[in-house]
Amino acid sequence: MITFQQVDIPGQAIKELYEEAFPYEERRDWPVVLSLLDSGNLKILQLEKDGEFAGFVCYWPLPDYTFVEYLAVHASARGGGIGTHIMEELEKRFGNLVLEVEPPLTEQAKRRIVFYERLGYQTFDQPYYQPPYHEGHQPLELRLMQKGSTHDGETFLKIKNQIYRFVYNLN
């Protein structure tokens, strides 16, 4: 059984999986994550499978969507449909979901996109760049995927503008 628990102060297991699962250029420094949690803007759900740590989800409640910034499943908990179960539970809790994915340039990125497409997510065609998390780094080319909204240019701009404003603090 998989359970979801809101955490205000993430433990060492979340920090370690965060740093292991996401490349440096795709993640904030840990003190920044803690500060965003403390401000109440960023939220974290800790995942447990049969009472053991299984992963986490970092998300942002935006005015019209919930932006899933990070989702990581611990290696010991992978398989058996856990990713599908997590996404279905997030959809029940939050409704319209938006997430960023890497462009389909690697086999892993292609598999990730196909996974989300099987769940009904659509990739926007418009170019999208994640602002850099670190001084001296360039913006990262990513793709936005969504489920639960219309799939057009106007929706893309609305989503992008909300993410840039609330998540990346850009106007």
Side-chain angles (χ1 to χ4, degrees):
M1 174 170 184
I2 299 166
T3 59
F4 295 69
Q5 178 184 348
Q6 194 80 44
V7 294
D8 296 322
I9 301 171
Q12 188 66 22
I14 289 177
K15 179 181 188 265
E16 288 174 6
L17 182 56
Y18 173 75
E19 291 176 349
E20 172 191 312
F22 301 98
Y24 178 74
E25 63 273 5
E26 291 183 23
R27 62 180 155 87
R28 303 168 192 273
D29 290 330
W30 192 246
V32 175
V33 172
L34 297 177
S35 175
L36 291 167
L37 280 168
D38 193 47
S39 73
N41 295 320
L42 177 67
K43 309 283 186 190
I44 294 185
L45 291 172
Q46 179 170 303
L47 311 173
E48 292 188 359
K49 183 177 180 181
D50 302 324
E52 298 291 323
F53 175 73
F56 68 90
V57 177
C58 290
Y59 68 96
W60 295 76
L62 301 179
D64 300 310
Y65 317 93
T66 295
F67 174 62
V68 177
E69 186 171 23
Y70 300 107
L71 186 160
V73 176
H74 192 273
S76 65
R78 290 183 192 139
I82 189 170
T84 299
H85 178 78
I86 292 166
M87 293 307 296
E88 288 172 349
E89 181 63 28
L90 294 175
E91 291 168 21
K92 286 181 202 167
R93 288 176 182 231
F94 304 123
N96 296 348
L97 297 180
V98 174
L99 47 98
E100 297 167 332
V101 293
E102 297 165 278
L105 303 176
T106 66
E107 285 307 310
Q108 184 179 18
K110 290 175 187 173
R111 282 194 309 272
R112 190 173 293 120
I113 290 168
V114 168
F115 165 75
Y116 289 121
E117 287 174 342
R118 276 197 318 261
L119 295 174
Y121 287 78
Q122 295 177 302
T123 305
F124 285 103
D125 295 328
Q126 293 84 345
Y128 174 82
Y129 292 88
Q130 175 189 304
Y133 285 135
H134 308 287
E135 189 74 33
H137 283 242
Q138 295 298 312
L140 281 177
E141 181 183 358
L142 298 174
R143 300 288 187 271
L144 280 181
M145 297 187 81
Q146 66 82 29
K147 182 176 181 181
S149 299
T150 56
H151 192 74
D152 57 27
E154 185 178 319
T155 302
F156 170 81
L157 284 176
K158 187 175 183 180
I159 291 171
K160 177 186 157 195
N161 290 340
Q162 285 187 22
I163 292 171
Y164 275 23
R165 178 176 175 204
F166 295 104
V167 176
Y168 299 116
N169 204 27
L170 301 172
N171 288 325

